[in-house]
């Protein structure tokens, strides 16, 4: 099919942004008449459609495989006030499934191109793009939306967004104000598997309540990579981790760039040599790029199914016409088609949404390093680079901070000290900051004998 810059006219469209007769008939069937699956408290009327068309403000996070599908689905479902945030630019490898992009768009911001495409194809729809990280936008920005829907490929970003919506909640005398809740619809895919979930922050299980459900990132043992490779991935990791820093093929201080074809080609050739040495087959250019960039294979049909599920949940919540998903749907089309829905339950001691500090059980003789290891390795916490502070004698004291080199060097000796040597007491609160959340997370030390 030839590429064209001309907007494709929808049936009945005259090129104007005004609605034509019968344009929203497919939506009216759900909103202006009753049916067996209606929400028990829903009363059919014309108001729900007007709310969707004129008032409801949706934020889509991510304009990749899921994001493109979401934007298309939402725009064609009657949502006209859509904002989209994405920090990436378009790569050639995106074009096989991210259908809002064309070859001429390579190198441009995904959010900008996706917004332009939808705005030109769907009359009356206004998509506003933000070529930014979600962390670059503040509370005031996020508070303006009625619903937020995520099409992310990062657990860290999901957790940060989860933390942001939890920080917007307002409690009066310990009672949650319902008007401060912004529903979060989250979709995720991995090859032929996916999931969709509905989160009402402060009411239902949040992202951090169910961290154990996310697959851990695969890391190969260094001894296997260095001396006993058995898989093509071992050979590629050997070149990435050990050979690149040693040989510096593109000059000193040039780090490996997974988007640079010359870098990938060098790693690919060296990986082939390593594989031949150990009689290992299967090293390809595509696999090399996948290992270097930590790419999970994406399947267009899985993205379409999960985005459809997420867009349906947005429609249900915005219209109040149907009961939303309660609250986690698993999708699998590896062999045939299988879906399963269950209710993920809130954790009473969730560090993100429980409103009480989580307990840390350590003996006074435990070293701070053990606490740090727990925060990063525990399946229920999974932090990346936690900064630990506390209050002693009315003053804030930094126990360990990794992100600033000078402070890291100054606080590093604390890691070898015991909690008792650091002057910490039973019941003392530790404040922990991390890239996985915009909020500081509180933990309470509980000394064990």
């Amino acid at each position: 099919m030839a590429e064209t810059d001309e907007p494709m006219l929808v049936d009945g469209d005259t090129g104007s942004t005004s609605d034509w007769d019968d344009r929203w008939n497919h939506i009216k069937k759900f909103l202006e008449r009753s049916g067996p699956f209606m929400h028990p408290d829903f009363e059919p009327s014309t108001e729900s459609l007007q709310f969707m068309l004129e008032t409801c403000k949706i934020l889509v996070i991510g304009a990749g495989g899921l994001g493109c599908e979401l934007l298309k689905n939402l725009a064609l479902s009657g949502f006209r006030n859509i904002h989209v945030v994405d920090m990436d630019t378009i790569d050639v490898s995106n074009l096989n499934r991210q259908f809002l992009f064309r070859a001429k768009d390579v190198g441009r911001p995904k959010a900008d191109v996706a917004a332009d495409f939808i705005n030109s194809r769907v009359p009356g729809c206004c998509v506003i793009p933000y070529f930014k990280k979600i962390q670059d936008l503040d509370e005031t920005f996020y508070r303006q939306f009625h619903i937020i829907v995520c099409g992310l490929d990062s657990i860290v970003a999901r957790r940060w967004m989860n933390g942001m919506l939890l920080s917007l909640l307002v409690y009066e005398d310990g009672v949650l104000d319902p008007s401060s809740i912004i529903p979060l619809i989250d979709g995720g895919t991995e090859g032929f598997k996916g999931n969709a979930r509905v989160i009402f922050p402060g009411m239902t299980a949040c992202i951090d309540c169910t961290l154990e459900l996310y697959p851990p990132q695969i890391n190969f043992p260094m001894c296997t990579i260095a001396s006993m490779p058995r898989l093509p991935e071992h050979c590629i990791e050997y070149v990435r981790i050990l050979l690149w820093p040693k040989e510096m093929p593109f000059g000193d201080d040039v780090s490996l760039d997974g988007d640079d074809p010359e870098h990938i080609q060098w790693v690919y050739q060296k990986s082939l040599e390593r594989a031949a040495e150990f009689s290992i087959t299967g090293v390809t250019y595509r696999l090399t790029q996948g290992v270097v960039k930590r790419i999970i294979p994406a399947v267009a049909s899985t993205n379409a199914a999960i985005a459809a599920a997420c867009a349906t949940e947005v429609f249900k919540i915005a219209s109040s016409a149907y009961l939303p998903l309660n609250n986690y749907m698993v999708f699998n089309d590896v062999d045939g088609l299988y879906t399963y829905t269950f209710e993920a339950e809130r954790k009473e001691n969730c560090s993100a949404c429980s409103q009480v500090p989580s307990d840390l059980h350590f003996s006074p003789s435990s070293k701070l390093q053990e606490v740090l290891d727990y925060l990063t390795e525990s399946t229920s916490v999974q932090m990346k680079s936690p900064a630990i502070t506390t209050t002693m004698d009315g003053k804030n004291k930094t126990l360990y901070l990794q992100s600033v080199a000078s402070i890291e060097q100054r606080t590093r000796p604390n890691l070898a000290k015991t909690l008792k040597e650091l002057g910490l007491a039973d019941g003392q609160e530790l404040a922990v900051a991390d890239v996985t959340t915009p909020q500081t997370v509180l933990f309470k030390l509980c000394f064990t004998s």
Side-chain angles (χ1 to χ4, degrees):
M1 187 173 175
E3 286 186 17
T4 175
D5 290 328
E6 293 297 318
M8 182 177 70
L9 299 182
V10 186
D11 288 347
D13 185 23
T14 59
S16 87
T17 57
S18 61
D19 291 338
W20 54 91
D21 289 343
D22 303 329
R23 180 178 183 184
W24 302 113
N25 271 4
H26 62 303
I27 302 297
K28 290 178 181 179
K29 287 182 173 68
F30 296 98
L31 302 180
E32 296 181 9
R33 65 185 189 183
S34 59
F37 301 108
M38 282 283 190
H39 191 293
D41 298 327
F42 181 73
E43 294 184 7
S45 71
T46 59
E47 293 178 5
S48 293
L49 178 59
Q50 291 309 306
F51 172 74
M52 287 170 52
L53 292 174
E54 299 170 8
T55 308
C56 190
K57 191 179 285 189
I58 307 292
L59 175 63
V60 175
I61 299 178
L66 273 175
C68 285
E69 293 276 358
L70 282 166
L71 289 167
K72 174 260 293 179
N73 292 347
L74 293 170
L76 294 176
S77 297
F79 295 99
R80 289 173 150 170
N81 197 344
I82 305 171
H83 297 233
V84 59
V85 180
D86 195 290
M87 61 177 282
D88 285 339
T89 54
I90 298 164
D91 184 68
V92 173
S93 64
N94 302 146
L95 302 181
N96 72 332
R97 65 194 181 281
Q98 297 175 23
F99 57 88
L100 301 183
F101 312 140
R102 301 290 181 267
K104 63 182 174 59
D105 300 319
V106 170
R108 289 186 61 200
K110 287 184 178 180
D112 292 353
V113 176
D116 289 346
F117 194 108
I118 295 292
N119 291 339
S120 67
R121 291 293 184 99
V122 185
C125 187
C126 178
V127 181
I128 300 175
Y130 301 87
F131 177 43
K132 294 173 179 283
K133 294 180 179 180
I134 55 173
Q135 294 87 347
D136 294 337
L137 298 158
D138 61 13
E139 289 187 2
T140 304
F141 172 80
Y142 290 110
R143 195 177 277 116
Q144 67 182 299
F145 298 101
H146 292 95
I147 302 170
I148 294 178
V149 53
C150 288
L152 291 163
D153 58 3
S154 162
I155 295 173
V156 171
R158 275 190 183 89
R159 294 178 67 186
W160 191 93
M161 196 65 242
N162 179 69
M164 171 54 74
L165 295 187
L166 289 170
S167 74
L168 299 180
L169 298 178
V170 175
Y171 290 86
E172 295 179 7
D173 298 325
V175 178
L176 177 61
D177 179 358
S179 66
S180 66
I181 298 172
I182 301 175
L184 174 65
I185 317 296
D186 180 57
T189 65
E190 184 174 316
F192 289 99
K193 301 175 182 177
N195 72 276
R197 62 188 303 186
V198 174
I199 297 168
F200 291 95
M203 292 180 63
T204 63
C206 76
I207 297 288
D208 280 39
C209 285
T210 56
L211 275 184
E212 295 90 344
L213 295 176
Y214 292 103
Q217 183 172 294
I218 298 173
N219 292 303
F220 301 107
M222 186 59 70
C223 57
T224 301
I225 295 171
S227 56
M228 296 181 294
R230 299 183 303 279
L231 302 172
E233 289 87 349
H234 294 160
C235 303
I236 299 166
E237 286 286 73
Y238 173 83
V239 178
R240 182 182 76 87
I241 297 172
L242 299 174
L243 214 55
W244 181 280
K246 181 181 177 182
E247 298 196 8
M248 285 292 182
F250 292 87
D252 294 344
D253 300 326
V254 177
S255 56
L256 176 55
D257 182 357
D259 293 313
D260 189 323
E262 292 185 6
H263 288 198
I264 297 297
Q265 186 64 34
W266 186 88
V267 175
Y268 170 53
Q269 293 298 333
K270 293 294 182 180
S271 300
L272 281 175
E273 294 172 14
R274 175 79 172 170
E277 186 181 338
F278 289 88
S279 302
I280 296 171
T281 59
V283 173
T284 63
Y285 182 90
R286 184 171 183 144
L287 179 66
T288 302
Q289 189 174 41
V291 171
V292 170
K293 294 181 68 176
R294 302 285 187 184
I295 291 174
I296 297 170
V299 177
S301 57
T302 311
N303 283 334
I306 294 302
C310 290
T312 301
E313 294 307 318
V314 174
F315 176 81
K316 287 187 203 173
I317 293 172
S319 67
S320 300
Y322 299 87
L323 287 167
L325 173 71
N326 185 30
N327 53 34
Y328 199 112
M329 188 271 285
V330 177
F331 175 90
N332 188 331
D333 59 347
V334 175
D335 296 306
L337 185 63
Y338 171 78
T339 63
Y340 172 67
T341 302
F342 69 94
E343 182 182 357
E345 296 184 0
R346 287 187 73 183
K347 280 176 63 176
E348 289 184 6
N349 61 342
C350 174
S351 58
C353 73
S354 66
Q355 294 290 302
V356 293
S358 298
D359 291 344
L360 289 175
H361 295 277
F362 288 94
S363 73
S365 59
S366 299
K367 291 182 169 57
L368 186 64
Q369 179 69 58
E370 295 175 51
V371 176
L372 190 74
D373 291 343
Y374 171 81
L375 294 173
T376 54
E377 296 171 8
S378 167
T379 55
S380 61
V381 183
Q382 295 186 42
M383 290 185 168
K384 299 299 176 184
S385 54
I388 309 172
T389 61
T390 191
T391 302
M392 301 182 79
D393 300 324
K395 298 179 180 178
N396 286 335
K397 180 180 180 181
T398 301
L399 299 176
Y400 184 68
L401 192 147
Q402 191 173 333
S403 56
V404 181
S406 58
I407 301 177
E408 195 281 331
Q409 189 174 8
R410 180 166 56 82
T411 57
R412 193 185 308 158
N414 287 344
L415 295 175
K417 295 180 181 178
T418 66
L419 303 182
K420 186 177 181 180
E421 288 171 342
L422 290 168
L424 301 175
D426 184 40
Q428 185 148 6
E429 288 191 353
L430 301 181
V432 183
D434 189 63
V435 294
T436 56
T437 175
Q439 303 183 88
T440 299
V441 182
L442 292 179
F443 293 88
K444 186 172 74 172
L445 275 178
C446 295
F447 282 166
T448 56
S449 54

